[in-house]
Amino acid sequence: MLDYRFIKEHLDEVKKNIINRNMTADADLVVKLFDERTALTTKLQNLQQKRNANAASMKGKLDAQTRAKYIEEGKQIKEDVANTEKELSEVETKLDEAGRQIPNMCHPKTPIGKLDTENLEVKKVGTPRKFDFKPKDHVQLGEELDIIDFERGTKVSGPKFYYLKNEAVFLEEALIMYALNILRKHGFTMFITPDVAKEEILKGIGFNPRGNESNVYAIEEEGTCLVATAEITLGGFHSGEILDKSALPLYYCGLSHCFRREAGGAGQFSKGLYRVHQFDKVEMFVYCLPEQSDEIHEKLRLIEEEIFTGLGIPFHVVDTCTGDLGAPAYRKWDLEAWMPGRANEEHPDGDYGEVTSTSNCTDYQARRLNVKYHDDDGKNKYVHMLNGTAIAVGRAMLAILENYQNEDGSVTVPEALRPICGFDKIGPKKDVKSPVYKPSK
C-alpha cells in the first residue's frame, strides 16, 4: 500500500492516479482516518503519561483523603485509556481497509488509458508467418493430434479444465525445463512453491481472496487459498523479515500450479488454453533496493524476450496503460505472442495475445508484507519487489501449436525444445475416434 503520509502530502496526485487507473478508492477518507489515528495516538500517549504520573504519585506517604483522590483519578484514567485504545483500534481497521483500496502510483511514462487496446507497443520481434494453407486454432489442433482433451476436462472438473495427453505431456515438461535452464543461467534461486497460501499473504501481494469479483479459490474455514501465481508464495517468503542489504538483489524463481476462477473472463479469444482455471507457470520474483528496481525491471523483460525469441515465436512488447495495470504495479510490460488462431474479419491473419508480463511494484507490496532491509544509515526501509512470468505453459503451448503447424495437420517442435522432449514433430493420430472413446448409453 502507499504510505499514508505520502497520500496526505500528495492528495491531488493520488486522486488523479486513481482516476487514470479507472479504479474506485477514497483518498479523502484515508487522509481523514489518518488524521484521526494521529490525534488518537497522541491522546493515548498523553493518557499513558498521566497514568504513569498518577502511579508515581501513589508511591509516597499520603493521607487517606489524598490517596483516595489518586485512586479515583487512576480509575478514570484507566477507563479513558481503554476507551481510547478501542477507538484507535477501530479507526486503524477502517484506515487499513481504505488504504488497501488505493493503487500504487504509476511510472511517469505509463500510457494513460482505460483498456488494453490503449497499451503502447514499444518493440516488435519476429515476423508473423504467412501460411499457404488455412491455419487451424490450437483447440482444433489439440483434438486432431490427440494431445488435449477439453471435453473430458469439462466432464470431470468443469468448464475451463483440460487433460494434456501424449506428446503434450512432454511438451509441457520441456517448456518448464527450458525456462528453468535459462533462469539458472541468469543466477536465479529455484523453488517449487506451495499451492496454498494464507489469506493475509494474498492481501499483501494485492489479491482479493474473497467476494464475487475475486479470481481466487478460497478454501472454506481454513483462512487459506489456492495460489493464482507463485508471485504470492515467493512474495510471502520473506514477509515480516529484515533483509541484509549486502544480499540484495535476491533473484527467485518459482514453479507452481496456478488456480484462477477467471470471474468475468469471457470473450471469443478466451477459449481453449488461453484462459483456464488451472495451469503451470514458472515465475520470476525479485527483492531489491529502491534504486535498483527500474534497471531490474528492464532485465526481467529482456529475459522474457530471450525465452520467446529462443522458441521462435513472433511477439511484441507493450507498455501497459494505467487502466490495465493491477493495483500493485508501478509499471508493467506485457509480452504478446502472435496467435494465428485469433484470425477474424478485423485481423484476417491472426493477432497478438498476452503470454507473459513483468511488473515493478516498488515498495507497495513490501509495505503490506512488512519486508525491509537495514540501510547504511541505521534505519530499516522497505525493499522494492518485482515479478515476471518466465513461462505460462498453456499460453506458450498455444502459441507453439498455432505458429508451428503444418499443412498435413502435424506440428513441428521448436528446435530449442527438441533435446528436452525427445521428438521434433507431433503428428495426427490414426483412428482418434476409436471405440474406446464412445460414451456409454
Side-chain angles (χ1 to χ4, degrees):
M1 60 178 64
L2 291 181
D3 178 67
Y4 297 138
R5 193 170 298 279
F6 175 89
I7 296 173
K8 180 176 180 177
E9 294 174 354
H10 301 83
L11 183 58
D12 289 341
E13 296 172 48
V14 171
K15 291 166 75 170
K16 183 179 180 182
N17 181 60
I18 294 169
I19 293 171
N20 287 341
R21 282 176 170 264
N22 200 29
M23 292 183 177
T24 302
D26 194 339
D28 289 318
L29 176 61
V30 172
V31 172
K32 175 178 176 291
L33 292 169
F34 175 64
D35 287 341
E36 287 182 14
R37 187 187 74 170
T38 302
L40 285 167
T41 300
T42 301
K43 180 181 178 181
L44 181 60
Q45 290 170 346
N46 291 336
L47 285 169
Q48 289 167 338
Q49 289 173 1
K50 280 183 68 176
R51 181 177 60 188
N52 294 339
N54 176 270
S57 300
M58 296 276 287
K59 291 180 180 179
K61 290 185 177 181
L62 304 171
D63 58 58
Q65 184 177 359
T66 304
R67 182 174 293 278
K69 174 189 173 187
Y70 282 130
I71 290 173
E72 194 60 34
E73 285 182 358
K75 289 180 180 179
Q76 184 60 52
I77 294 171
K78 182 179 179 181
E79 184 179 341
D80 291 344
V81 167
N83 290 335
T84 304
E85 286 177 337
K86 180 182 178 183
E87 190 176 356
L88 177 59
S89 177
E90 291 172 351
V91 169
E92 284 181 331
T93 299
K94 293 177 182 178
L95 176 58
D96 180 72
E97 184 178 345
R100 287 178 181 272
Q101 306 304 314
I102 307 294
N104 201 356
M105 300 301 289
C106 292
H107 189 284
K109 293 185 179 180
T110 301
I112 306 298
K114 292 184 177 181
L115 305 172
D116 57 5
T117 52
E118 297 171 271
N119 293 342
L120 178 65
E121 182 183 86
V122 296
K123 189 174 187 178
K124 187 174 285 187
V125 176
T127 303
R129 177 181 168 190
K130 294 289 185 181
F131 292 89
D132 53 10
F133 61 93
K134 184 179 180 180
K136 303 169 183 176
D137 66 27
H138 75 283
V139 175
Q140 185 177 355
L141 287 165
E143 291 173 349
E144 293 179 359
L145 295 171
D146 195 27
I147 59 174
I148 311 174
D149 195 327
F150 295 104
E151 182 180 343
R152 285 175 179 78
T154 299
K155 178 181 73 173
V156 172
S157 303
K160 296 186 181 297
F161 287 95
Y162 58 95
Y163 285 87
L164 292 183
K165 299 173 58 182
N166 300 319
E167 292 95 335
V169 175
F170 295 94
L171 186 58
E172 161 142 342
E173 298 304 311
L175 281 165
I176 291 171
M177 284 305 303
Y178 166 71
L180 290 176
N181 283 331
I182 289 177
L183 297 184
R184 176 165 52 180
K185 179 186 70 175
H186 285 284
F188 282 74
T189 299
M190 304 294 177
F191 292 86
I192 294 179
T193 74
D195 289 335
V196 174
K198 296 178 180 178
E199 288 188 5
E200 57 261 35
I201 299 296
L202 273 84
K203 289 178 181 178
I205 289 294
F207 281 80
N208 173 22
R210 298 283 176 176
N212 293 332
E213 295 182 1
S214 174
N215 251 340
V216 174
Y217 286 105
I219 301 175
E220 293 301 323
E221 300 181 1
E222 292 290 334
T224 58
C225 303
L226 298 177
V227 299
T229 166
E231 174 193 351
I232 295 167
T233 39
L234 292 176
F237 191 76
H238 287 299
S239 60
E241 297 180 18
I242 299 173
L243 305 178
D244 184 349
K245 181 180 179 181
S246 64
L248 299 174
L250 296 172
Y251 287 91
Y252 289 168
C253 147
L255 168 62
S256 75
H257 302 304
C258 303
F259 301 89
R260 301 186 182 183
R261 293 178 60 239
E262 293 297 357
Q268 69 178 115
F269 299 127
S270 294
K271 66 179 181 179
L273 294 174
Y274 190 79
R275 199 175 296 281
V276 292
H277 289 316
Q278 178 184 339
F279 59 97
D280 290 339
K281 180 157 71 81
V282 178
E283 180 78 2
M284 301 179 286
F285 198 91
V286 182
Y287 297 85
C288 70
L289 300 174
E291 61 267 25
Q292 297 171 328
S293 65
D294 281 339
E295 181 180 351
I296 289 174
H297 193 208
E298 295 288 325
K299 178 177 180 178
L300 295 183
R301 193 196 79 215
L302 290 174
I303 291 173
E304 292 179 346
E305 292 182 20
E306 177 185 349
I307 289 170
F308 276 83
T309 299
L311 291 174
I313 303 291
F315 64 87
H316 71 177
V317 179
V318 298
D319 195 353
T320 308
C321 73
T322 53
D324 198 32
L325 284 175
Y330 170 68
R331 194 177 199 184
K332 181 163 80 85
W333 305 104
D334 281 352
L335 192 154
E336 299 180 340
W338 183 254
M339 299 179 179
R342 291 195 164 210
N344 56 21
E345 289 185 9
E346 187 178 356
H347 303 281
D349 297 322
D351 200 3
Y352 291 101
E354 181 192 336
V355 286
T356 71
S357 65
T358 176
S359 299
N360 181 359
C361 297
T362 61
D363 63 357
Y364 188 87
Q365 295 171 323
R367 287 181 181 278
R368 291 169 174 240
L369 293 168
N370 195 27
V371 187
K372 299 179 179 180
Y373 68 97
H374 192 67
D375 206 357
D376 298 335
D377 59 8
K379 296 179 180 180
N380 295 329
K381 302 175 182 177
Y382 291 104
V383 299
H384 277 199
M385 295 161 70
L386 304 94
N387 64 81
T389 308
I391 281 283
V393 176
R395 292 189 180 185
M397 189 179 296
L398 180 166
I400 288 170
L401 294 176
E402 293 188 356
N403 282 281
Y404 279 91
Q405 62 181 294
N406 303 305
E407 189 171 8
D408 64 359
S410 66
V411 171
T412 301
V413 175
E415 188 173 351
L417 301 180
R418 294 174 193 173
I420 310 175
C421 64
F423 48 85
D424 58 10
K425 186 176 285 191
I426 304 172
K429 305 296 184 293
K430 295 181 180 179
D431 192 26
V432 170
K433 301 295 183 181
S434 62
V436 72
Y437 291 93
K438 289 181 179 179
S440 60
K441 294 182 180 179

